[in-house]
RNA sequence: UCCUCGGUAGCUCAGCUGGUAGAGCGUUCGGCUGUUAACCGAAUGGUCGCAGGUUCGAGUCCUGCCCGGGGAGCCA
């Protein structure tokens, strides 16, 4: 199949403004064709943008006009023509088409420019990715991931990736995907944190960024079975350092998307004023204060209860930016949380709740650095001591206070894009009972 | 695991107290020189999720099962 034309180098549609008046070739797919008898309008997308091509029967070769009449939705094409500014076009530019090369004439495309059910679209996720909305969401996802990496790289964190096959539960509470690792049982990682703690003692400031797996049968708009998490961990750091870091990270992520992805936010019809207010300082409340706020709003909750999805929404709606909630009761948090020296029943932990009901986007805190305290917690939680031998070792050889957190990428993307459901924030979502495509 | 809603044409849906299966979009053909989910005319389209049952007669009523949407718990 020929995809190179001898005399023209292809240009991407996002740079079409630079080529006004010159003959150029674009390579892409036909989003839509409209016809008015002797004039055809071809909407072409190439992954960077879209442009309407005009094929005028009076000015093109008859065989070119015939060819444009045959084109079906999503046919792959190479189109040579001259771009010009056009006030009637939605993108501001149009292409006067001279020649059309059909790379492949597409069969009838399942996804039409009309409403479809979520089930149908998910079944055709591999094709749905071509839509304007999905394209915008995934470009914003990319921008968010790039902002996270830049944030940590700029602050001298070292990227230390953690394993996906693990011998045991990191936290022991959530359900893990079990698999065979030759002749022994292994589990897919639910967090890189414990390994990041080891890395932090070697590199000082580290982060890991990878997929995590939870086999919980959660069926809500906030859950996926496979999702991506960025997890920084810092040696010589305490709870307040983790909170400061989280605040800085969120600031940078939101700033970057507002700065570089305005057109995508517009496609998604996101109310950007809700994002523009996300500037430090973020409100910080203790768990106890949060319980008081909830009680004042009439929520039936008592000190010691964990927040449900609705509680998080009520709490977050009291603020117009993400809110940091810290010092939860140790009893409802993971075993490795450092106890508060001023109130040993509390943990030096924090969660960040996104506004507008998007829920917990960050969870973390300060880790136990004392050997005896950690061993006692492992026993209390009835965790297999042998499996945690290496983790306990970290408390024997130069242990220091250390802290970090994990940020769930899909929830952040859902929040920033203003989406109803996290399933659109990842190219191929893994959901309860849905593994195809 | 529990609660709840749904499954009818390729897609989105309508189908009343049981009585011959419908529309729009798509597709095909024809018309139209500025369309924006174009428009106009014609043609095309069905194992009513599956299996039983009630009935003269079931898309419609009953039972069981399968699949999907939304939510709860749990979590990021």
């Amino acid at each position: 199949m020929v995809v190179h034309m001898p005399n023209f180098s292809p240009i991407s549609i996002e740079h079409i403004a630079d080529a006004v008046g010159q003959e150029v070739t674009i390579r892409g797919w036909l989003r839509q064709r409209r016809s008015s008898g002797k004039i055809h309008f071809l909407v072409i997308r190439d992954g960077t943008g879209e442009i309407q091509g005009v094929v005028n029967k009076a000015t093109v070769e008859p065989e070119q006009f015939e060819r444009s009449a045959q084109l079906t939705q999503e046919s792959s094409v190479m189109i040579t023509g001259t771009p010009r500014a056009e006030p009637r076009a939605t993108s501001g530019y149009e292409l006067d088409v001279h020649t059309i090369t059909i790379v492949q004439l597409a069969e009838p495309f399942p996804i039409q420019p009309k409403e479809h059910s979520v089930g149908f679209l998910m079944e055709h996720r591999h094709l749905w990715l071509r839509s304007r909305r999905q394209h915008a969401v995934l470009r914003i996802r990319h921008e968010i991931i790039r902002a996270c990496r830049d944030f940590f790289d700029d602050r001298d964190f070292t990227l230390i990736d953690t394993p996906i096959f693990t011998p045991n539960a990191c936290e022991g509470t959530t359900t893990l995907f079990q698999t065979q690792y030759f002749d022994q049982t292994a589990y897919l990682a639910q967090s890189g944190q414990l390994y990041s703690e080891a890395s932090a003692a070697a590199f000082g400031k580290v982060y890991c960024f990878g997929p995590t797996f939870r086999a919980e049968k959660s069926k809500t708009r906030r859950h996926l079975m496979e999702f991506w998490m960025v997890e920084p961990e810092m040696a010589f750091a305490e709870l307040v350092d983790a909170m400061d870091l989280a605040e800085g990270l969120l600031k940078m992520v939101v700033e970057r998307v507002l700065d570089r992805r305005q057109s995508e936010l517009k496609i998604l019809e996101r109310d950007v004023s809700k994002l523009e207010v996300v500037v430090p300082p973020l409100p910080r409340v203790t768990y106890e204060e949060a319980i008081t706020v909830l009680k004042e709003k009439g929520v039936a909750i008592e000190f010691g209860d964990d927040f449900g999805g609705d509680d998080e929404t009520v709490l977050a709606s009291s603020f117009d930016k993400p809110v940091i909630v810290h010092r939860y009761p140790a009893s409802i948090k993971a075993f490795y949380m450092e106890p508060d020296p001023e109130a040993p029943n509390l943990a030096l932990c924090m969660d960040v709740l996104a506004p507008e009901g998007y829920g917990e986007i960050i969870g973390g805190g300060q880790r136990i650095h004392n050997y005896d305290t950690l061993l006692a917690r492992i026993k209390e939680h009835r965790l297999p001591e042998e499996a945690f031998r290496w983790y306990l070792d970290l408390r024997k050889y130069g242990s220091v206070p250390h802290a970090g957190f994990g940020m769930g990428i899909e929830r952040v993307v859902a929040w920033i894009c203003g989406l109803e459901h996290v399933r659109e924030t990842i190219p191929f979502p893994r959901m309860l009972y849905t593994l195809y495509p």
Side-chain angles (χ1 to χ4, degrees):
Chain A
M1 202 174 272
V2 178
V3 292
H4 296 284
M5 301 181 83
N7 298 320
F8 307 106
S9 54
I11 186 170
S12 62
I13 292 171
E14 68 182 343
H15 297 127
I16 205 82
D18 302 334
V20 166
Q22 305 165 36
E23 184 164 77
V24 295
T25 300
I26 59 174
R27 302 190 294 186
W29 295 263
L30 183 77
R31 169 155 274 154
Q32 206 179 355
R33 181 170 60 84
R34 287 179 290 268
S35 163
S36 186
K38 296 194 174 69
I39 186 166
H40 295 158
F41 299 96
L42 310 177
V43 181
I44 312 295
R45 59 168 189 87
D46 73 347
T48 71
E50 66 179 63
I51 189 166
Q52 178 164 275
V54 181
V55 190
N56 192 327
K57 191 172 189 179
T59 58
V60 298
E61 297 292 326
E63 79 230 38
Q64 298 300 333
F65 192 77
E66 272 305 302
R67 203 170 286 165
S68 83
Q70 293 171 16
L71 286 176
T72 52
Q73 187 186 349
E74 287 304 318
S75 286
S76 41
V77 290
M78 293 185 289
I79 292 189
T80 300
T82 310
R84 75 183 138 70
E86 170 55 70
R88 283 175 291 187
T90 46
S91 71
Y93 295 92
E94 266 186 1
L95 187 74
D96 284 322
V97 175
H98 306 157
T99 57
I100 298 167
T101 305
I102 299 174
V103 181
Q104 193 246 342
L105 195 63
E107 294 177 26
F109 197 64
I111 301 175
Q112 300 164 20
K114 57 176 273 192
E115 289 204 11
H116 291 280
S117 67
V118 170
F120 178 82
L121 289 170
M122 288 309 312
E123 182 83 3
H124 295 85
R125 182 62 175 169
H126 52 298
L127 304 176
W128 190 20
L129 296 179
R130 303 179 186 196
S131 79
R132 281 191 191 100
R133 264 185 77 81
Q134 300 309 310
H135 192 261
V137 170
L138 293 178
R139 274 199 145 184
I140 290 173
R141 175 192 172 95
H142 171 225
E143 201 62 61
I144 289 169
I145 290 172
R146 186 155 60 160
C148 289
R149 290 191 180 281
D150 287 350
F151 178 82
F152 293 118
D153 294 348
D154 292 349
R155 284 161 184 74
D156 299 321
F157 282 67
T158 303
L159 175 71
I160 303 291
D161 290 314
T162 54
I164 292 187
F165 286 121
T166 59
N168 60 275
C170 282
E171 305 182 10
T173 52
T174 42
T175 322
L176 300 173
F177 282 103
Q178 192 176 317
T179 185
Q180 262 331 96
Y181 193 77
F182 300 111
D183 58 352
Q184 54 178 313
T185 301
Y187 302 92
L188 301 186
Q190 60 170 200
S191 165
Q193 186 209 312
L194 304 195
Y195 295 98
S196 286
E197 288 184 50
S199 309
F203 296 85
K205 294 190 288 185
V206 300
Y207 70 103
C208 64
F209 201 149
T212 48
F213 307 88
R214 306 264 167 110
E216 289 173 344
K217 297 197 169 175
S218 302
K219 198 172 155 58
T220 82
R221 70 185 65 192
R222 300 186 305 279
H223 288 86
L224 295 170
M225 304 302 109
E226 176 182 314
F227 64 97
W228 286 68
M229 201 154 57
V230 58
E231 295 175 276
E233 193 71 30
M234 302 174 286
F236 297 100
E238 299 180 329
L239 175 63
V240 66
D241 301 302
M243 294 197 283
D244 290 347
L245 191 72
E247 185 174 275
L249 176 62
L250 286 173
K251 171 185 186 285
M252 170 132 162
V253 164
V254 170
E255 219 170 54
R256 272 287 189 87
V257 173
L258 285 172
D259 185 41
R260 300 186 182 179
R261 293 293 162 210
Q262 278 293 334
S263 63
E264 283 80 4
L265 290 169
K266 198 173 174 187
I267 288 168
L268 298 170
E269 296 174 311
R270 181 64 165 124
D271 179 357
V272 291
S273 69
K274 295 264 174 60
L275 299 176
E276 283 161 353
V277 298
V278 182
V279 288
L282 300 181
R284 300 181 186 193
V285 301
T286 65
Y287 167 86
E288 196 171 0
E289 288 163 346
I291 291 288
T292 306
V293 170
L294 286 172
K295 280 181 168 173
E296 279 168 6
K297 300 213 166 192
V299 178
I301 193 166
E302 292 302 325
F303 187 93
D305 295 341
D306 205 352
F307 303 131
D310 292 345
D311 305 329
E312 287 181 355
T313 304
V314 171
L315 186 59
S317 68
S318 311
F319 306 91
D320 59 356
K321 30 186 170 178
V323 54
I324 302 176
V325 183
H326 58 95
R327 292 181 169 80
Y328 286 68
S331 57
I332 55 171
K333 286 291 172 181
F335 74 95
Y336 49 71
M337 299 287 190
E338 175 75 11
D340 185 347
E342 292 175 16
N345 62 321
L346 301 180
L348 291 178
C349 64
M350 59 106 183
D351 285 352
V352 180
L353 308 180
E356 302 169 72
Y358 285 95
E360 186 182 341
I361 50 174
I362 287 176
Q366 190 173 332
R367 329 301 190 185
I368 293 171
H369 60 274
N370 178 272
Y371 183 92
D372 294 332
T373 311
L374 184 61
L375 182 61
R377 285 296 165 84
I378 287 172
K379 285 179 172 169
E380 277 168 32
H381 283 77
R382 293 198 180 84
L383 296 171
E385 201 178 314
E386 177 55 25
F388 287 96
R389 201 178 67 237
W390 69 268
Y391 188 62
L392 283 159
D393 267 358
L394 303 175
R395 279 71 183 171
K396 287 160 71 176
Y397 306 108
S399 189
V400 294
H402 59 290
F405 61 81
M407 182 170 85
I409 294 301
E410 287 74 17
R411 286 192 183 173
V412 172
V413 177
W415 161 52
I416 288 181
C417 292
L419 303 179
E420 283 296 307
H421 201 297
V422 289
R423 66 184 156 215
E424 291 180 47
T425 65
I426 187 167
F428 295 96
R430 301 291 84 143
M431 296 183 299
L432 195 58
Y433 309 129
T434 307
L435 198 53
Y436 176 92

